Amino acid sequence: MIVIVLRDMAFTSRGDALALPRVHCPDHPDAILVEDYRAGDMICPECGLVVGDRVIDVGSEWRTFSNEKALKDPSRVGDAQNPLLNGGDLTTMISKGTGAASFDECGKPKYQNRRTKSSSDRAMLNAFEEIRTMADRIHLPAIIIDRTNNLFKQVYEQKSLKGHAHDAIATACLYIACRQEGVPRTFKEICAVSPISKKKIGRCFKLILKMLDISLDLINPGDLMPRFCSNLGLPKPVRMAANFIARKAVELDLVPGRSPISVAAAAIYMASQASAQKKTQKEIGDIAGVADVTIRQLYRLIYPRAAELFPPDFKFDTPIVKLPQL
Amino acid sequence: MDSSNDEALDIIITNVVATFRTRCHLNLRTIALEGINVIYKPDMGKVLMKLRKPKITASIWSSGKIICTGATSEDDAKVGARRLARTLQKLGFKVRFSAFKVVNVLAVCSMPFAIRLIDFTKKNRPIASYEPELHPAATYRIKHIKATIQVFSTGSITVTGPNVQNVASAVEQVYPLLFECQKPRCK
């Protein structure tokens, strides 16, 4: 019985695929049949006759009850969809079989082509994987990872940076994302988690800015202060003092043309030397990625006006006159 | 004409790059062996020839294309290029001097005042870009004259453009913008 119906089905489906099904209700040939998806029926609205054309039931395959503590929901299959970033995850993969039927005579498995994933997005998926790895190394939150992924997608779709290594573009996107979220990471920090050289990252960075027409805010030493100070283990008053020193130094323009990272490092050095937790130039240089001679140079620039640079309510462990003079 | 100041700004051209073609195939080995003041770079596929009189360095390719760098003015570049072509002619090649074009001009200029780069970048947001981690100067690109200006905080600027005219007009254009963001003279 079922076989006959199936053959019928094949007949109608081989015909025009887009036309309405040719079966009509015998009593009401003009009536448009109503589809019942759950049961796979076509029903005539006038007399209720079931002209069961399709036997495909599009309902769920298992029954799930809401009060059952089912650990897995059997009607959901596959990974969570990532619609913004992929071209729609509508691929079907055939997995290697386990039964005897999936092996042919020589013992080799049939259906070997498991590798055909969504090939156009394979590069993008690889890049996302790489971004995820890099971000995990410096413990970046999901917001930044999402933003990086979005940026990478935009760059990838524009195709003007097609020649460059995907890793370089991914790294540059990560840098931009951190900047855009207001928590900039220095190039050296990003370099530490990426195989790409600082020069290449900088080059890709400039190209991406031009291509996506983004303009970023400049870094100021205050953005980096919390991270550096907590890495060094400096308490809050010292951090506030270093922040104040750096800000004042930039306002008074004692350090023209100097990188804000170096300014931050010198400010931390001065603040820590005036407090009970003294850090050496080498330690600060290691954390900030700045050479200790640079810290020394900048310290010499800000030392003459040290009295103005400290916040008024700072408790000096070492008074200003006793600060080291390099 | 540079500004409403009484001091004129000196724009010093430091480098002019020009290209031309000799319209014939050149044998680099012959040039390398018989030419004077030549350096052969077989891995790059070119010969460097340095002239003394207009102080010029030329990269010569076997296809006959030559790039001339190091000249201090456009005329100098042309004289040097012709002199180079003459040297190659004397070495026996059927050289025809053609398609001479000045490709790039680099000039430096010094403002009498220091400049606050952060203010300058903020005021000229999309056109100016400043990345202190990568380069200590702010880059200002003027699209319609195709000139690039690099502004340093000491007040010196370097301008590159396709010819001397563009360079001069670029300096004129950027002067008022720099004047706004200058650092006050007294400490």
Side-chain angles (χ1 to χ4, degrees), chain A residues 306-324:
Chain A
E308 298 168 43
L309 295 177
F310 274 99
D313 52 354
F314 184 67
K315 292 196 180 46
F316 286 89
D317 189 85
T318 316
I320 295 189
V321 289
K322 290 241 184 80
L323 280 177

Side-chain angles (χ1 to χ4, degrees), chain A residues 169-215:
Chain A
I169 302 182
T171 316
C173 287
L174 188 64
Y175 178 80
I176 297 176
C178 292
R179 266 269 207 127
Q180 281 180 331
E181 289 290 326
V183 284
R185 299 290 189 273
T186 65
F187 273 109
K188 288 197 176 154
E189 288 176 315
I190 301 275
C191 222
V193 299
S194 163
I196 317 286
S197 70
K198 181 175 178 234
K199 197 162 120 178
K200 280 212 192 99
I201 304 177
R203 210 180 290 164
C204 282
F205 165 73
K206 281 188 217 156
L207 286 172
I208 296 178
L209 283 192
K210 204 194 319 180
M211 196 172 58
L212 298 181
D213 221 356
I214 312 178
S215 76

Side-chain angles (χ1 to χ4, degrees), chain A residues 175 179 186-187 198 202 205-206 215-219 253 256-257 259-261 305, chain B residues 115-118 121-122 125-126 129-136 141 153 183 187:
Chain A
Y175 178 80
R179 266 269 207 127
T186 65
F187 273 109
K198 181 175 178 234
F205 165 73
K206 281 188 217 156
S215 76
L216 292 173
D217 286 329
L218 289 175
I219 309 187
D253 209 18
S259 166
I261 307 160
R305 306 202 34 190
Chain B
I115 303 171
R116 280 195 301 248
L117 285 183
I118 308 184
T121 330
K122 281 203 184 127
R125 219 3 129 59
S129 89
Y130 178 40
E131 267 314 303
E133 284 183 85
L134 295 177
H135 191 56
R141 281 180 215 269
S153 60
K183 223 173 280 185
K187 246 192 44 155

Side-chain angles (χ1 to χ4, degrees), chain A residues 186 219-225 228-229 241-271 284 288-291 294-302 309, chain B residues 118 130 132-133:
Chain A
T186 65
I219 309 187
N220 49 330
D223 293 335
L224 312 161
M225 213 57 88
F228 291 168
C229 288
N243 229 329
F244 195 84
I245 295 175
R247 203 158 35 99
K248 261 290 165 112
V250 172
E251 266 174 38
L252 299 172
D253 209 18
L254 303 173
V255 286
R258 297 289 183 166
S259 166
I261 307 160
S262 322
V263 176
I268 295 178
Y269 180 67
M270 188 179 252
I284 303 181
V290 176
T294 312
I295 303 182
R296 211 173 302 158
Q297 238 181 354
L298 276 162
Y299 182 75
R300 279 194 208 118
L301 285 175
I302 58 177
L309 295 177
Chain B
I118 308 184
Y130 178 40
E133 284 183 85

Side-chain angles (χ1 to χ4, degrees), chain A:
Chain A
M1 195 52 170
I2 299 172
V3 176
I4 296 173
V5 174
L6 279 177
R7 212 174 290 150
D8 261 348
M9 244 213 69
F11 211 82
T12 50
S13 61
R14 212 182 299 137
D16 29 7
L18 291 175
L20 288 167
R22 285 202 225 115
V23 276
H24 296 289
C25 170
D27 298 326
H28 307 96
D30 293 331
I32 302 174
L33 299 173
V34 170
E35 293 181 16
D36 179 9
Y37 292 103
R38 294 241 123 220
D41 294 337
M42 306 276 283
I43 306 173
C44 169
E46 312 273 325
C47 60
L49 181 70
V50 172
V51 194
D53 206 26
R54 269 181 271 164
V55 289
I56 300 172
D57 179 3
V58 297
S60 67
E61 205 171 324
W62 302 272
R63 292 185 301 172
T64 51
F65 300 102
S66 55
N67 49 2
E68 249 182 37
K69 279 257 175 74
L71 291 160
K72 19 184 204 163
D73 185 3
S75 49
R76 285 180 174 271
V77 282
D79 261 342
Q81 218 186 8
N82 211 341
L84 298 170
L85 303 178
N86 281 332
D89 225 359
L90 297 174
T91 54
T92 307
M93 291 186 286
I94 302 176
S95 64
K96 274 199 286 204
T98 46
S102 59
F103 293 90
D104 61 13
E105 304 91 42
C106 313
K108 278 182 286 188
K110 295 183 193 173
Y111 290 125
Q112 282 176 329
N113 52 345
R114 225 165 37 105
R115 278 179 267 119
T116 355
K117 275 180 119 170
S118 41
S119 55
S120 66
D121 295 327
R122 203 183 317 166
M124 219 154 67
L125 285 172
N126 273 335
F128 292 161
E129 189 62 44
E130 190 63 39
I131 290 172
R132 171 109 218 169
T133 319
M134 287 195 289
D136 272 346
R137 287 192 192 125
I138 33 179
H139 314 292
L140 289 173
I143 309 177
I144 295 186
I145 301 182
D146 281 339
R147 199 178 264 267
T148 313
N149 285 346
N150 273 317
L151 282 169
F152 186 86
K153 181 181 188 211
Q154 285 178 36
V155 170
Y156 189 69
E157 283 178 344
Q158 274 216 24
K159 290 191 195 285
S160 22
L161 283 184
K162 209 171 178 190
H164 292 76
H166 290 315
D167 280 350
I169 302 182
T171 316
C173 287
L174 188 64
Y175 178 80
I176 297 176
C178 292
R179 266 269 207 127
Q180 281 180 331
E181 289 290 326
V183 284
R185 299 290 189 273
T186 65
F187 273 109
K188 288 197 176 154
E189 288 176 315
I190 301 275
C191 222
V193 299
S194 163
I196 317 286
S197 70
K198 181 175 178 234
K199 197 162 120 178
K200 280 212 192 99
I201 304 177
R203 210 180 290 164
C204 282
F205 165 73
K206 281 188 217 156
L207 286 172
I208 296 178
L209 283 192
K210 204 194 319 180
M211 196 172 58
L212 298 181
D213 221 356
I214 312 178
S215 76
L216 292 173
D217 286 329
L218 289 175
I219 309 187
N220 49 330
D223 293 335
L224 312 161
M225 213 57 88
R227 212 165 349 117
F228 291 168
C229 288
S230 63
N231 281 343
L232 289 164
L234 293 171
K236 187 164 169 190
V238 182
R239 175 162 54 101
M240 307 287 281
N243 229 329
F244 195 84
I245 295 175
R247 203 158 35 99
K248 261 290 165 112
V250 172
E251 266 174 38
L252 299 172
D253 209 18
L254 303 173
V255 286
R258 297 289 183 166
S259 166
I261 307 160
S262 322
V263 176
I268 295 178
Y269 180 67
M270 188 179 252
S272 76
Q273 289 292 324
S275 75
Q277 292 88 358
K278 296 184 179 14
K279 298 285 172 188
T280 62
Q281 290 173 353
K282 191 167 184 320
E283 286 176 328
I284 303 181
D286 267 341
I287 299 272
V290 176
D292 55 342
V293 286
T294 312
I295 303 182
R296 211 173 302 158
Q297 238 181 354
L298 276 162
Y299 182 75
R300 279 194 208 118
L301 285 175
I302 58 177
Y303 181 74
R305 306 202 34 190
E308 298 168 43
L309 295 177
F310 274 99
D313 52 354
F314 184 67
K315 292 196 180 46
F316 286 89
D317 189 85
T318 316
I320 295 189
V321 289
K322 290 241 184 80
L323 280 177
Q325 215 171 0
L326 298 161

Side-chain angles (χ1 to χ4, degrees), chain B residues 102-171:
Chain B
V102 166
V103 167
N104 192 21
V105 173
L106 170 70
V108 295
C109 185
S110 185
M111 302 283 142
F113 43 80
I115 303 171
R116 280 195 301 248
L117 285 183
I118 308 184
D119 278 350
F120 177 73
T121 330
K122 281 203 184 127
K123 286 210 177 112
N124 302 288
R125 219 3 129 59
I127 323 178
S129 89
Y130 178 40
E131 267 314 303
E133 284 183 85
L134 295 177
H135 191 56
T139 337
Y140 187 88
R141 281 180 215 269
I142 307 181
K143 222 169 161 193
H144 54 100
I145 21 178
K146 288 192 266 193
T148 307
I149 305 175
Q150 293 198 342
V151 183
F152 291 86
S153 60
T154 53
S156 353
I157 59 175
T158 86
V159 194
T160 70
N163 53 49
V164 180
Q165 278 278 36
N166 282 21
V167 163
S169 60
V171 175

